[in-house]
Amino acid sequence: MTTADFILWSCLLFAIIFVRYLLFSGAYHYLFRRHWKDRLQQRIFHDRPAGQTIMRKEIIRAAGVSVVFAVAGIATLWLWQRGHTRLYLDPGEHHWIWLPLSPLLFLALQETYYYWTHRWMHLPGIYERVHAWHHESIETTAFTAFSFHPLEAIIQAIYIPLIILVLPIQTFIFLFLLALMTLSATINHAGVEVFPASWSKIPLLRRLIGATHHDLHHKQARTNFGLYFTYWDEWMGTESKKYKDRFERVTEKR
Ligand SMILES: [Zn+2]
Ligand SMILES: [Zn+2]
């Protein structure tokens, strides 16, 4: 890949990532915070939405994050093109059990990586330099999903090109996981609980992190460090004591 190719592909990928963020977060924000407001009233955490100034700031920061994600995407494509990754197209290339197992392993490793780097980013001295931007959003919105400092974006994005060097994963499952990351980040920041009350009674589903869980992280900043699942928070005693009550309260039928 020449330098001109690198710049061209980075610009193209940046446009795709950033426009997709704007459309998806915008649609989610409109649907849940405005259109469904009456139906989901008790599930919306803040009656007064985040100010326009913070939302504008979040979108500007998301543009910077999209640049980092685009470069990580190009690095991933470059590695794939050169045959360095373990991505594979033919589902029969590995035992069939690997098809459901590989995404679970991908998510479990990412969860562990994220939980511990997130704890590290909350240490004094690191927090101010890397993570404080994300926590400026106390009343989060769907636009907070990509609102990070570029250094934090690098820490998050680097997992992708690194994991596909070692973990065999079917290409379409990999693309699905990339979409899942955006969906999860949007759900967790939108400020409205979309998971039903019944999920708190179902094994595995009750360990899924949703808006109530991550909203408490933005409000308290000392609890709820997980990304997709609550396991590490439970094991390390960092889950907010308010979480289970609050989830029941916001999901109970009026
Ligand atoms: Zn957050
Ligand atoms: Zn944090």
Side-chain angles (χ1 to χ4, degrees):
M1 189 186 287
T2 64
T3 313
D5 283 347
F6 174 79
I7 294 169
L8 188 72
W9 279 100
S10 296
C11 289
L12 188 67
L13 208 55
F14 161 77
I16 293 170
I17 293 169
F18 188 56
V19 169
R20 193 192 58 158
Y21 154 81
L22 287 176
L23 291 176
F24 191 67
S25 288
Y28 200 98
H29 184 76
Y30 175 77
L31 272 175
F32 287 101
R33 294 290 282 272
R34 290 169 188 262
H35 191 59
W36 286 3
K37 195 168 167 58
D38 294 337
R39 284 173 55 194
L40 292 168
Q41 186 63 56
Q42 76 276 24
R43 294 191 185 185
I44 293 171
F45 303 139
H46 0 279
D47 234 7
R48 189 177 299 174
Q52 294 297 316
T53 319
I54 187 75
M55 276 166 65
R56 203 174 308 130
K57 209 186 246 186
E58 286 173 348
I59 292 169
I60 292 166
R61 287 173 180 178
V65 167
S66 299
V67 172
V68 174
F69 286 0
V71 172
I74 295 297
T76 306
L77 275 173
W78 185 86
L79 289 168
W80 172 74
Q81 224 178 19
R82 303 246 158 164
H84 296 311
T85 73
R86 305 291 306 273
L87 290 175
Y88 63 95
L89 205 54
D90 176 10
E93 196 171 315
H94 292 274
H95 192 283
W96 68 267
I97 195 76
W98 190 245
L99 288 177
L101 209 61
S102 55
L104 290 178
L105 205 58
F106 178 99
L107 294 174
L109 290 169
Q110 189 183 22
E111 181 69 47
T112 304
Y113 172 76
Y114 182 83
Y115 178 84
W116 288 104
T117 48
H118 193 183
R119 290 281 302 267
W120 172 75
M121 286 191 286
H122 272 264
L123 295 177
I126 308 293
Y127 179 83
E128 297 79 5
R129 289 186 182 92
V130 182
H131 194 45
W133 276 22
H134 187 60
H135 276 276
E136 276 181 33
S137 307
I138 296 167
E139 305 295 346
T140 59
T141 69
F143 295 105
T144 318
F146 274 22
S147 175
F148 302 109
H149 190 280
L151 285 174
E152 179 168 357
I154 293 169
I155 292 166
Q156 287 194 24
I158 207 154
Y159 175 77
I160 305 298
L162 289 182
I163 192 70
I164 57 167
L165 289 178
V166 289
L167 190 78
I169 192 149
Q170 205 276 335
T171 312
F172 290 111
I173 293 179
F174 173 67
L175 293 174
F176 168 77
L177 287 167
L178 292 181
L180 190 70
M181 280 177 215
T182 306
L183 177 67
S184 164
T186 311
I187 286 177
N188 292 354
H189 289 101
V192 51
E193 184 53 79
V194 290
F195 294 171
S198 59
W199 283 20
S200 67
K201 314 273 187 303
I202 303 169
L204 198 67
L205 290 184
R206 72 192 170 100
R207 297 287 195 321
L208 269 184
I209 288 176
T212 310
H213 197 273
H214 196 65
D215 186 66
L216 283 166
H217 178 68
H218 279 262
K219 297 276 161 55
Q220 300 181 326
R222 289 175 193 280
T223 59
N224 296 5
F225 294 92
L227 181 63
Y228 305 115
F229 307 103
T230 60
Y231 290 104
W232 275 113
D233 278 311
E234 286 181 37
W235 293 335
M236 301 313 295
T238 53
E239 186 162 80
S240 171
K241 304 277 181 281
K242 291 182 177 174
Y243 170 56
K244 288 190 172 74
D245 273 0
R246 199 166 176 216
F247 182 82
E248 275 177 27
R249 194 156 44 80
V250 297
T251 55
E252 73 188 1
K253 288 195 174 62
R254 286 191 297 178

